[in-house]
Amino acid sequence: MNRKKAILEAALSLLAEKGVHATPMSAIAKEAGTGMGTIYNHFPNKNILINALYVSIKNQEKAVFVAPDDSDPFRTQFEQYYVGAVQFFIDNPLYFKLIEQLQASPIITAESRASGLEAVASVIELIESGKERRIIKAIETPELMQFIGGTIVCYLRWYFQAAKEEKPSLANQLKMTWDAIKQ
Amino acid sequence: MNRKKAILEAALSLLAEKGVHATPMSAIAKEAGTGMGTIYNHFPNKNILINALYVSIKNQEKAVFVAPDDSDPFRTQFEQYYVGAVQFFIDNPLYFKLIEQLQASPIITAESRASGLEAVASVIELIESGKERRIIKAIETPELMQFIGGTIVCYLRWYFQAAKEEKPSLANQLKMTWDAIKQ
Amino acid sequence: MNRKKAILEAALSLLAEKGVHATPMSAIAKEAGTGMGTIYNHFPNKNILINALYVSIKNQEKAVFVAPDDSDPFRTQFEQYYVGAVQFFIDNPLYFKLIEQLQASPIITAESRASGLEAVASVIELIESGKERRIIKAIETPELMQFIGGTIVCYLRWYFQAAKEEKPSLANQLKMTWDAIKQ
Amino acid sequence: MNRKKAILEAALSLLAEKGVHATPMSAIAKEAGTGMGTIYNHFPNKNILINALYVSIKNQEKAVFVAPDDSDPFRTQFEQYYVGAVQFFIDNPLYFKLIEQLQASPIITAESRASGLEAVASVIELIESGKERRIIKAIETPELMQFIGGTIVCYLRWYFQAAKEEKPSLANQLKMTWDAIKQ
DNA sequence: CATGAATGAGAATTCATTCAT
DNA sequence: TATGAATGAATTCTCATTCAT
């Protein structure tokens, strides 16, 4: 039985669901079916556990951004990234809930944050090539990235709060985002 | 002597700056120059105080959305709303910091959240007229609102984290958002 | 009801009797008849409480060393100091038990320790005048002080462990110490 | 491979250096290069380990008190004991640090303490013969022993806290102690 | 209404000890 | 016999809330 994994899973579910500050370590231990001390054998303290979870999510997110087929049209490649990111969080709602909480939190260290940025390195590359090819607006890449990321977050917020039967179509979102950034 | 106001101001500055969970009621009392009991005379508990702050910010935001001149072109009216919202938070950075923290927090009640939505009622109206006049894309209004709101939040995040000397231009942001939603 | 005093008294009795590490703050609170939080209102943490106790004892000890009558013979003056110190701890056995524990402990700060040294300033003066008058051996004062202090500590240890009926006479002790240091 | 010895050595160095309560069993195991379970195979619990260390030191101290040459003058014999004891702890500073900590500690059992007393049996004998021969003051032997022991402890404290270059001379100490106890 | 000392439940963290391997 | 991950009771400290003044 992999206790470390059990702990991370229990932590994910409780931290995302109840909130970081409403989840005592004892609750995580109970949910993971271990003693509290066991958590501390694997993670020196609560913040480190949370950072580990953050980095683990970001690493999985990274795996989603596989290099798209370069022979595809630019817009197709962009949409693949976009849809990939959205789908990743739709498939893992707890990840989204947790990342939302941690985004602006002082708990996440600069180091964890930096490792999180790696996830989007290949997207940045695509955007910059799009700017060179005059497909994308000539705006600073970080600003574009922030904008695109923002549309994703908002879509997901919207997606998760919407009632089951009326999940908003991703097509609209894609169209708006593309219109926003295209030259 | 308006103690209630002093308490709200102290709470705003501490909750925004230090974080909700790192701000004890005692610190708020000290900053407000009152006793702790006085806070409890005005706000039955900490959560209610925080909700009051949230609603107060949303109400001030509402005041910003004054009906634009109907004789102006639609796009001008839209930009007035957009710039107004952005400017409101640029002028009140603490408001933004606090709202960001509370956005996804279970502290904010459904009721407070609902009252927050009133702020944007007049914008909704504008958007719907835009859709009727086929200036704006035919997408569900809530989805459009969410999208627009998302771009504002992301711009502000970007704005506040950027170094002093290189505050990003709002023009790019306006252009992207308009291109996104326009027919 | 002076709670701070009650806390110090409870702390003294438990720390001295059970030992510093065997006395939880909760036990002190219970003994003092207060809540645990009350202790922390008066002393920010356990170490500070212990230091406060240490300094308080040293201050009371200081009060014991009243300037002796200068017209008395030197030896009389010396014995007054010696007997005073011994009597102080015989009268306050808990003080002795606690000081013994804390003497070499890293809990006591340099500052507390320094304040403790003030207690013996007037004794140092007497010893130095004794050396000048060639009544006392020409040995470095700190070494003499350490020696004298050591004989007191040992006597007290002996005194407290001895059975009730055979408390050792202080006279022997005084004689030995005097013979040791006299020219 | 003598694991028991390795454990005792690791325990000595850590307990003396860091303090009894700041040294977890896990740290001792690591320093000794064994698993934690191994310690518990040799010593049923932490207190028993500490007592074993105490008794071991006292036994080594005992070995230092070899019967002096009976043809030597009494004072020479006494000084041999005295210097031997002092030298023992100067040669083994960790022993002194640990014994100091444990002196007043409830961890040390009455049994261990009793076994510690054996160390000085031969010194007691010498002192009593000195009293019979009217070389030493007619004071209860235990009181004399306590006094002598006290001067040693204080000298050592003084010795170890003094700066390297100004180690206090043992000669002064010997003179004072002798003057104190001699008839 | 205003005050702020008192309260104690609850949180993070430690570590002696056990036991399956 | 050796190992060290697992355990959870025990400890320190915090802070929302109360209430006597």
Side-chain angles (χ1 to χ4, degrees):
Chain A
M1 169 187 21
N2 191 336
R3 288 174 193 279
K4 190 164 182 175
K5 216 179 132 205
I7 290 165
L8 281 170
E9 271 167 19
L12 170 66
S13 116
L14 289 173
L15 294 172
E17 223 73 271
K18 314 264 180 194
V20 168
H21 290 282
T23 303
M25 292 296 263
S26 57
I28 297 175
K30 194 184 241 180
E31 174 84 8
T34 74
M36 258 178 8
T38 305
I39 300 185
Y40 283 88
N41 282 342
H42 290 283
F43 306 96
N45 60 49
K46 194 180 180 183
N47 278 4
I48 288 179
L49 167 61
I50 294 173
N51 273 274
L53 217 40
Y54 179 90
V55 170
S56 145
I57 293 174
K58 287 294 179 182
N59 280 341
Q60 290 175 61
E61 195 188 350
K62 204 178 306 182
V64 149
F65 294 130
V66 288
D69 191 337
D70 236 4
S71 61
D72 281 338
F74 182 90
R75 185 168 174 182
T76 306
Q77 289 183 46
F78 173 75
E79 288 185 358
Q80 272 169 12
Y81 275 138
Y82 199 94
V83 173
V86 168
Q87 197 58 47
F88 174 72
F89 284 112
I90 287 181
D91 292 343
N92 301 281
L94 292 178
Y95 287 3
F96 182 69
K97 276 200 158 176
L98 187 58
I99 292 288
E100 277 270 279
Q101 268 185 78
L102 297 179
Q103 204 61 262
S105 161
I107 293 172
I108 301 303
T109 64
E111 200 188 344
S112 299
R113 237 176 265 279
S115 116
L117 284 182
E118 292 171 24
V120 289
S122 53
V123 185
I124 287 179
E125 227 177 306
L126 182 71
I127 292 296
E128 293 198 321
S129 99
K131 276 163 56 181
E132 271 171 33
R133 293 162 63 192
R134 309 192 63 178
I135 301 173
I136 297 298
K137 289 193 173 83
I139 295 176
E140 294 295 321
T141 308
E143 202 174 345
L144 282 167
M145 291 298 295
Q146 186 77 13
F147 186 92
I148 296 166
T151 66
I152 292 178
V153 168
C154 294
Y155 175 75
L156 288 167
R157 259 186 216 164
W158 176 242
Y159 180 91
F160 286 120
Q161 68 116 78
K164 284 274 148 54
E165 62 279 6
E166 42 157 339
K167 288 302 183 194
S169 85
L170 184 49
N172 287 337
Q173 192 72 19
L174 263 177
K175 177 80 171 86
M176 286 194 282
T177 307
W178 178 254
D179 287 350
I181 64 171
K182 78 149 190 268
Q183 188 69 278
Chain B
M1 159 190 30
N2 193 337
R3 288 180 191 278
K4 191 164 180 173
K5 213 179 134 207
I7 290 166
L8 281 170
E9 269 167 21
L12 169 66
S13 119
L14 289 172
L15 294 172
E17 224 71 273
K18 314 264 179 194
V20 168
H21 291 281
T23 304
M25 292 295 265
S26 57
I28 297 175
K30 194 184 226 179
E31 175 84 8
T34 75
M36 253 163 32
T38 306
I39 299 186
Y40 282 86
N41 283 336
H42 290 284
F43 307 96
N45 62 46
K46 192 181 182 184
N47 278 2
I48 289 179
L49 167 60
I50 293 173
N51 274 274
L53 213 43
Y54 178 89
V55 170
S56 146
I57 292 173
K58 287 294 180 185
N59 281 342
Q60 290 176 62
E61 196 188 350
K62 205 179 305 183
V64 148
F65 295 130
V66 289
D69 192 335
D70 236 3
S71 61
D72 281 338
F74 180 89
R75 186 171 174 180
T76 305
Q77 290 183 46
F78 172 76
E79 288 184 357
Q80 271 169 12
Y81 275 137
Y82 198 95
V83 173
V86 168
Q87 198 59 47
F88 174 72
F89 284 112
I90 285 180
D91 292 344
N92 301 281
L94 291 179
Y95 286 3
F96 183 69
K97 274 198 161 179
L98 186 59
I99 293 289
E100 278 271 280
Q101 267 184 81
L102 298 178
Q103 202 62 261
S105 162
I107 294 171
I108 301 304
T109 64
E111 202 188 353
S112 298
R113 238 176 266 278
S115 118
L117 286 181
E118 292 172 24
V120 289
S122 54
V123 185
I124 288 179
E125 229 177 303
L126 181 71
I127 291 296
E128 293 197 323
S129 100
K131 276 163 56 182
E132 269 170 35
R133 292 161 64 193
R134 309 192 63 179
I135 300 172
I136 296 298
K137 289 193 174 83
I139 294 176
E140 293 295 321
T141 307
E143 201 174 346
L144 282 166
M145 290 299 295
Q146 185 76 14
F147 186 92
I148 296 166
T151 66
I152 292 179
V153 167
C154 293
Y155 174 74
L156 288 167
R157 254 186 220 164
W158 177 241
Y159 179 89
F160 285 120
Q161 68 116 73
K164 284 272 147 55
E165 62 277 11
E166 42 159 337
K167 289 302 184 194
S169 86
L170 184 48
N172 287 338
Q173 193 72 19
L174 265 177
K175 177 81 171 87
M176 284 194 283
T177 308
W178 179 254
D179 287 350
I181 64 172
K182 79 149 190 267
Q183 189 69 276
Chain C
M1 167 187 22
N2 190 337
R3 288 177 193 278
K4 190 165 181 174
K5 217 179 130 205
I7 290 165
L8 281 170
E9 271 167 19
L12 170 65
S13 117
L14 289 173
L15 294 172
E17 224 71 272
K18 313 264 178 196
V20 168
H21 290 282
T23 303
M25 293 296 264
S26 57
I28 296 175
K30 193 183 240 179
E31 174 84 10
T34 75
M36 252 178 12
T38 306
I39 300 185
Y40 284 87
N41 283 342
H42 290 283
F43 306 96
N45 60 49
K46 193 180 180 182
N47 278 3
I48 288 179
L49 167 61
I50 294 173
N51 273 274
L53 216 41
Y54 178 89
V55 170
S56 145
I57 293 173
K58 286 295 178 183
N59 280 341
Q60 290 176 60
E61 195 188 350
K62 205 179 305 183
V64 148
F65 294 130
V66 288
D69 191 335
D70 237 4
S71 60
D72 281 339
F74 181 90
R75 185 171 174 180
T76 305
Q77 290 183 46
F78 172 76
E79 288 184 357
Q80 272 169 11
Y81 275 138
Y82 198 95
V83 173
V86 167
Q87 197 59 46
F88 174 72
F89 284 112
I90 286 180
D91 292 344
N92 301 282
L94 292 179
Y95 287 3
F96 182 69
K97 275 199 159 179
L98 186 59
I99 292 288
E100 277 268 279
Q101 267 185 79
L102 297 178
Q103 204 59 263
S105 162
I107 294 171
I108 301 303
T109 64
E111 201 189 343
S112 299
R113 235 176 267 279
S115 117
L117 284 182
E118 293 170 24
V120 290
S122 54
V123 185
I124 288 179
E125 227 177 306
L126 181 71
I127 291 296
E128 292 196 323
S129 99
K131 277 163 57 181
E132 270 171 34
R133 292 161 63 193
R134 309 192 63 179
I135 300 173
I136 297 297
K137 288 192 174 83
I139 294 176
E140 294 295 320
T141 308
E143 202 175 345
L144 283 166
M145 290 298 295
Q146 186 77 14
F147 186 92
I148 296 165
T151 67
I152 292 179
V153 167
C154 294
Y155 175 74
L156 288 167
R157 255 184 219 164
W158 177 241
Y159 180 91
F160 286 120
Q161 68 116 77
K164 286 272 147 52
E165 63 279 8
E166 41 158 340
K167 288 301 184 195
S169 86
L170 185 48
N172 286 338
Q173 193 72 19
L174 264 177
K175 177 80 171 87
M176 284 194 283
T177 307
W178 178 255
D179 287 350
I181 64 172
K182 78 149 191 267
Q183 188 71 279
Chain D
M1 161 189 30
N2 193 337
R3 289 180 189 278
K4 191 164 181 174
K5 213 180 135 205
I7 290 166
L8 282 169
E9 270 168 20
L12 169 66
S13 117
L14 289 173
L15 294 172
E17 223 73 272
K18 315 263 180 196
V20 168
H21 290 281
T23 303
M25 292 295 265
S26 57
I28 297 175
K30 194 184 228 179
E31 174 85 7
T34 76
M36 256 164 29
T38 306
I39 300 185
Y40 282 86
N41 283 337
H42 290 284
F43 307 96
N45 61 47
K46 193 181 182 183
N47 279 3
I48 289 179
L49 167 60
I50 293 172
N51 274 273
L53 213 43
Y54 179 90
V55 170
S56 145
I57 292 173
K58 286 295 180 184
N59 280 342
Q60 290 175 61
E61 195 187 350
K62 204 178 306 182
V64 148
F65 295 130
V66 289
D69 191 336
D70 237 4
S71 60
D72 281 339
F74 181 90
R75 186 169 175 182
T76 305
Q77 290 183 44
F78 171 76
E79 288 185 356
Q80 272 168 12
Y81 275 137
Y82 198 95
V83 173
V86 167
Q87 198 60 45
F88 174 72
F89 284 113
I90 286 180
D91 292 343
N92 301 281
L94 293 178
Y95 286 3
F96 184 68
K97 275 198 159 178
L98 186 59
I99 293 289
E100 278 270 280
Q101 267 185 78
L102 298 178
Q103 202 62 261
S105 161
I107 294 171
I108 301 303
T109 63
E111 201 189 354
S112 299
R113 240 176 264 278
S115 117
L117 286 181
E118 293 170 24
V120 290
S122 54
V123 185
I124 289 180
E125 228 176 304
L126 181 72
I127 291 296
E128 293 198 321
S129 101
K131 276 161 56 180
E132 271 170 32
R133 292 161 64 192
R134 308 192 64 179
I135 301 173
I136 296 299
K137 288 192 174 84
I139 294 176
E140 293 295 320
T141 308
E143 200 175 345
L144 282 166
M145 291 298 295
Q146 186 77 15
F147 186 92
I148 296 165
T151 66
I152 292 178
V153 168
C154 294
Y155 175 74
L156 287 168
R157 255 185 218 164
W158 178 241
Y159 179 89
F160 285 120
Q161 70 115 75
K164 284 273 149 54
E165 62 279 8
E166 42 158 337
K167 288 303 183 192
S169 86
L170 184 49
N172 286 338
Q173 193 72 19
L174 264 176
K175 177 81 171 85
M176 284 194 284
T177 307
W178 178 254
D179 287 351
I181 65 173
K182 78 148 191 270
Q183 188 69 278

